[in-house]
Structures are given as C-alpha cells and as structure tokens.
C-alpha cells in the first residue's frame, strides 16, 4: 500500500485526498577512481554494488580496497574497508547496505618508478603500482637480469630519506638473495638500483 493511501485512510474524513511529495532524498558521496564521482540519491535500500554501478564502475586506476566513511549516532566516525575482489566475487556479506551521508572512497593506485642501472641487459626505469610493490629481484629481472660482467655481490640501492632529504646507500648481495640466504628487499618509489 502506498504512503498516500495509508495517510488518507488514517487521517482524513469526508473524502479528502492526500498527496505525498518527497522534499529531499538522502544522499551518499562517491569519490576517487570511479567513472562519475559525485553525490548519489538513496531511493530505498541501496547497496555498495548498486551505487558503484550508478557511478559507471571503478576505473583501471582503482586500488583493491574501497572505504566507506560512516557517521555513527554518537557523532564518531567509523571506516568500513571492503576488498574489490570480495565485492566483485559475489560475496554478499561485503555488499553493504549504505546509509545516508556515507562517503564511499575508491582510492587511486599511484604509478611509481625505480631505476636500475649498470650491468643489466636493459637499464632504465621500471614502473609499478603502489599497491603491488616491487622487490629488488623483480626489478633486476624486469631490467633483463644481470649481464655476465655484473658483480652481483656488490649491488647497491640509493634511497633518499623522505624526512631528512639525505641519500642512504643499502648494500645488497644478489647471490645471497637468489640462493634464499637473505630476504628479498622491497623497493620504494624513486630508488636507484646499481649493479656494478
């Protein structure tokens, strides 16, 4: 039964007619790596997948996590994290019902670079997504691997300290890494790997 009919039945006498107008829809905001970010109306129960579909879907630059910023009744804010893989994989428990004033954030995955120079087959820049990260072995492999003249026991990583601006030098024995005797190192954006 429609709301107008319910109100007519309860509150009118003498054949009066009731009309109901929706003055304002409740809205959610969608920001970040979606085709059409903006404010979207909640016309009835609306899930996260429904809103993402209304935005035209996530872009290729989207990270794997979606964050829902929600205001709680006590005034505090909570953040609900949903994996894009879980959501697109059909797991219904992750298809959360949205509430008015929720802010859905789909972070953009930044492209980062490291540089591999020296005795590798194809020296130069190696790009990767910040969410994927890259290790020193992966970077050297993407640069074609070491040449036959490479001193693999004397590889260095030059890294700028983000707080002080000073350059740090990290020495790496590639032979020990390849043999599994030491752990592979994660590289950071802007690192320069030198294979002498």
């Amino acid at each position: 039964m429609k709301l107008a009919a319910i109100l007519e039945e309860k509150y009118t006498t003498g054949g009066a007619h009731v009309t109901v107008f929706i003055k304002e829809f409740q809205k959610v905001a969608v920001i970040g790596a979606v085709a059409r970010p903006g404010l979207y109306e909640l016309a009835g129960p609306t899930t996260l997948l429904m809103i993402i579909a209304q935005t035209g879907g996530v872009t290729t630059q989207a990270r794997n996590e979606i964050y829902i910023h929600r205001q709680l009744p006590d005034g505090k804010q909570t953040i609900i994290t949903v994996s894009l893989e879980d959501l697109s994989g059909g797991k219904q428990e992750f298809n959360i019902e949205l509430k008015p004033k929720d802010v859905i954030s789909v972070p953009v995955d930044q492209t980062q670079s490291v540089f591999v120079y020296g005795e590798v087959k194809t020296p130069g820049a190696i790009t990767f997504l910040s969410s994927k990260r890259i290790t020193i072995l992966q970077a050297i492999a993407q640069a074609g691997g070491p040449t036959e003249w490479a001193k693999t026991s004397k590889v260095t990583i030059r890294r700028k300290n983000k707080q002080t601006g000073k350059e740090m030098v990290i020495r790496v024995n590639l032979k020990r890494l390849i043999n599994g005797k030491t752990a592979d190192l994660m590289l950071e954006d802007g690192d320069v790997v030198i294979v002498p």
Side-chain angles (χ1 to χ4, degrees), residues 24-191:
E24 184 181 350
F25 280 104
Q26 298 290 341
K27 294 181 181 178
V28 294
V30 186
I31 58 174
V34 291
R36 293 183 303 276
L39 290 173
Y40 289 86
E41 294 175 350
L42 296 179
T46 307
T47 64
L48 181 57
L49 263 179
M50 291 164 75
I51 283 293
I52 296 293
Q54 285 183 45
T55 68
V58 296
T59 66
T60 54
Q61 290 89 22
R63 289 187 71 149
N64 188 43
E65 300 84 22
I66 296 175
Y67 301 104
I68 302 167
H69 300 263
R70 179 170 290 169
Q71 193 85 23
L72 298 174
D74 63 2
K76 292 181 181 171
Q77 195 176 74
T78 187
I79 298 174
I80 303 164
T81 306
V82 178
S83 159
L84 205 52
E85 284 174 9
D86 290 334
L87 191 62
S88 59
K91 296 181 180 176
Q92 283 305 309
E93 65 268 27
F94 297 102
N95 192 16
I96 294 165
E97 187 171 323
L98 298 174
K99 298 197 179 304
K101 298 181 182 159
D102 279 354
V103 176
I104 297 97
S105 173
V106 184
V108 175
D109 208 353
Q110 302 290 327
T111 301
Q112 299 186 330
S113 300
V114 294
F115 305 90
V116 183
Y117 294 120
E119 290 300 322
V120 289
K121 290 175 183 138
T122 51
I126 307 286
T127 58
F128 61 99
L129 294 173
S130 61
S131 65
K132 303 290 187 260
R133 307 285 307 271
I134 193 169
T135 67
I136 188 166
L137 280 179
Q138 290 168 332
I140 289 172
Q142 285 189 42
T147 66
E148 57 190 283
W149 303 284
K151 291 184 180 175
T152 54
S153 61
K154 299 196 177 200
V155 174
T156 57
I157 302 168
R158 295 188 177 275
R159 177 176 295 165
K160 196 166 264 191
N161 185 310
K162 289 175 177 64
Q163 278 79 36
T164 64
K166 292 182 180 174
E167 189 176 76
M168 301 184 294
V169 177
I170 303 163
R171 301 194 190 290
V172 179
N173 186 329
L174 208 56
K175 285 181 185 174
R176 290 178 62 81
L177 281 181
I178 292 167
N179 294 330
K181 292 181 179 173
T182 56
D184 202 358
L185 293 167
M186 284 291 179
L187 296 177
E188 295 180 5
D189 186 35
D191 279 357

